[in-house]
């Protein structure tokens, strides 16, 4: 229902261009399908990994924080590298495809790693390297395949399709665990098979859209020269600062499991609460961001996360986990694609993948540090004080970002 009629046919028929601008290109839809299938694969692993590491292998919160930080931060350096190579070679699709392929192979690496924490850490780092390589070029393809006025909608549609995969992944993981009598290796192998399908979809159906710029103009110096542009620099800086005070998904689910004593059997279902709300709100909030401004919606998402953390510190009423997961879903729907929609227009087309990767790198490094710091705080202070401090810090930085207003209307 989102496939756009061609602008040429609109002009030839004399129709108004506004209806076409409200739709999403076919390339965005195919990229959404690739992300959907990939997320089924990755969320199968994500859904069972915290339980496997903490309950199965006996890691404490600090050790898990280090691994979770590695999982989030391993993309940091390669994001810029992937974006730069994609722009330099004018091969957005090829670099993205390599990243998807690397992540797929890493699912087999988890089977080989067994119970070795060190080996699991290496495989997770390689998996996130693949994600880092593909994210900038993929988001650049979405941006370059969309009209500037509807970037929020385009990213919202893509993230909604991506979230369908995030919703299905835990269900598939539970089904595989049930059929295999609790075999985590079966989950990892099935995840690889699904990821391979996503790579084929990308190779066969996604159209490349490199920015029109001479290769000589795409250099590392030009990429980091983007930070000399005030608007872009402020967006990247504030996104990183907010990432530094953002509690990672796995910790949110572990806090819920600990505080409400949720049985291990149902732990993989917790991400479904986040994914379900994200799926429902990604497109509406993307459209809202196009209308009222992307930065206010982006900050609103962080306010929702702050409220979720406050609820996690409160009394253990039965309804609160549902509300907290819903607010967690609002956070993602209002921030993930919206930030890329806000940053995209600030970057020239020929450096689009690199510029978006710079913003994502700042976030990845910050969230890596956040996971380590939160794991340390949980280990030293216990669960509720750590969550409360995280909520206070998030509220303070979000308030400061609201006054800063780095994105102009």
């Amino acid at each position: 229902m989102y496939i756009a009629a061609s602008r040429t046919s609109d002009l030839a028929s004399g129709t108004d261009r506004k209806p076409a601008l409200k739709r999403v290109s076919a390339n965005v839809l195919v990229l959404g399908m690739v992300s959907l299938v990939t997320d089924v694969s990755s969320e199968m692993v994500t859904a069972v990994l915290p339980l496997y590491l903490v309950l199965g292998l006996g890691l404490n919160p600090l050790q898990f924080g280090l691994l979770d930080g590695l999982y989030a931060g391993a993309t940091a350096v390669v994001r810029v590298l992937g974006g730069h190579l994609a722009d330099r070679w004018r091969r957005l699709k090829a670099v993205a495809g390599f990243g998807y392929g690397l992540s797929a192979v890493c699912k087999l690496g988890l089977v080989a790693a067994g119970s070795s924490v060190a080996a699991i850490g290496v495989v997770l780092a390689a998996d996130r390297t693949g994600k880092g390589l593909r994210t900038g070029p993929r988001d650049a393809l979405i941006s370059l395949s969309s009209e500037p006025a509807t970037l929020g909608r385009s990213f919202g549609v893509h993230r909604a399709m991506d979230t369908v995969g995030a919703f299905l992944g835990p269900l598939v993981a539970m089904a595989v665990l049930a059929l295999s009598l609790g075999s985590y290796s079966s989950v990892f192998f099935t995840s690889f098979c699904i990821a391979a399908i996503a790579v084929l979809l990308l190779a066969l159906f996604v159209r490349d859209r490199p920015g029109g710029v001479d290769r000589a103009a795409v250099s590392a110096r030009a990429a980091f020269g983007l930070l000399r542009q005030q608007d872009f620099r402020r967006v990247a800086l504030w996104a990183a600062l907010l990432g530094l005070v953002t509690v990672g998904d796995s910790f949110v689910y572990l806090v819920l499991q600990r505080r409400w004593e949720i049985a291990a059997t149902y732990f993989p279902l917790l991400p479904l609460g986040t994914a379900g709300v994200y799926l429902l709100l990604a497109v509406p909030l993307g459209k809202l961001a196009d209308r009222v401004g992307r930065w206010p919606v982006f900050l609103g998402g962080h306010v929702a996360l702050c409220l979720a953390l406050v609820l996690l510190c409160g009394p253990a009423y039965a309804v609160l986990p549902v509300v907290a997961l819903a607010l967690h879903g609002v956070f993602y729907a209002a921030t993930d694609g919206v930030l890329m929609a806000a940053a995209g227009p600030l970057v020239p087309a020929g450096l689009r993948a690199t510029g978006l990767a710079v913003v994502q790198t700042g976030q990845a490094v910050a969230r890596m540090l956040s996971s380590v710091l939160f794991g340390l705080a949980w280990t030293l202070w216990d669960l509720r004080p750590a969550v409360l401090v995280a909520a206070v810090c998030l509220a303070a930085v979000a308030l400061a970002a609201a006054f800063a207003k780095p994105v102009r209307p």
Side-chain angles (χ1 to χ4, degrees), residues 85-368:
L85 292 178
D87 285 333
R88 178 77 174 178
W89 296 339
R90 302 186 67 186
R91 294 291 185 271
L92 301 179
K93 175 180 171 179
V95 176
F98 180 80
Y100 279 109
L102 177 59
S103 292
V105 171
C106 286
K107 305 304 187 295
L108 291 179
L110 288 172
V111 178
S115 60
S116 169
V117 175
I120 290 173
V122 171
V123 173
L124 291 180
D127 176 72
R128 294 298 89 182
T129 297
K131 180 177 174 61
L133 288 172
R134 72 179 184 249
T135 301
R138 182 205 64 198
D139 284 348
L141 280 169
I142 296 170
S143 182
L144 294 170
S145 300
S146 307
E147 295 285 352
T150 59
L151 279 174
R153 181 191 299 264
S154 293
F155 276 102
V157 169
H158 174 269
R159 293 323 196 244
M161 296 180 71
D162 181 274
T163 308
V164 172
F167 192 86
L168 295 175
L171 296 177
V172 177
M174 286 190 67
V176 173
L177 280 175
L179 292 172
S180 64
L181 302 179
S183 170
Y184 288 100
S185 294
S186 297
V187 174
F188 300 149
F189 181 76
T190 305
S191 174
F192 160 74
C193 295
I194 295 173
I197 295 173
V199 176
L200 287 176
L201 287 174
L202 178 79
L204 295 175
F205 300 110
V206 172
R207 296 178 59 190
D208 213 354
R209 291 186 179 273
V213 68
D214 181 54
R215 293 186 184 185
V218 182
S219 63
R221 182 176 181 181
F224 288 100
L226 292 170
L227 293 173
R228 290 196 293 268
Q229 300 177 19
Q230 183 179 8
D231 290 344
F232 180 81
R233 182 176 67 250
R234 294 177 70 190
V235 168
L237 175 62
W238 282 107
L241 288 174
L242 286 164
L244 186 61
V245 290
T246 297
V247 176
D249 303 355
S250 296
F251 274 121
V252 171
Y253 304 140
L254 282 173
V255 171
L256 283 167
Q257 192 272 332
R258 292 288 179 90
R259 289 225 55 214
W260 278 268
E261 298 180 351
I262 297 170
T265 307
Y266 301 109
F267 184 85
L269 294 177
L270 293 179
L272 297 185
T274 297
V277 175
Y278 189 178
L279 175 61
L280 292 174
L281 295 182
V283 176
L285 289 179
K287 292 161 63 177
L288 179 66
D290 287 334
R291 289 200 302 268
V292 305
R294 289 153 189 164
W295 194 250
V297 173
F298 179 69
L299 290 182
H302 287 83
V303 172
L305 178 60
C306 186
L307 293 174
L309 295 178
V310 171
L311 292 180
L312 295 178
C313 296
Y317 296 135
V319 71
L320 291 187
V322 178
V323 179
L325 286 174
L327 289 169
H328 195 227
V330 172
F331 161 68
Y332 272 108
T335 57
D336 191 11
V338 171
L339 177 61
M340 295 297 97
L346 304 177
V347 184
L351 289 170
R352 190 67 52 89
T354 307
L356 295 181
V358 168
V359 176
Q360 293 161 351
T361 294
Q363 271 195 319
V365 171
R367 289 184 176 179
M368 176 181 65

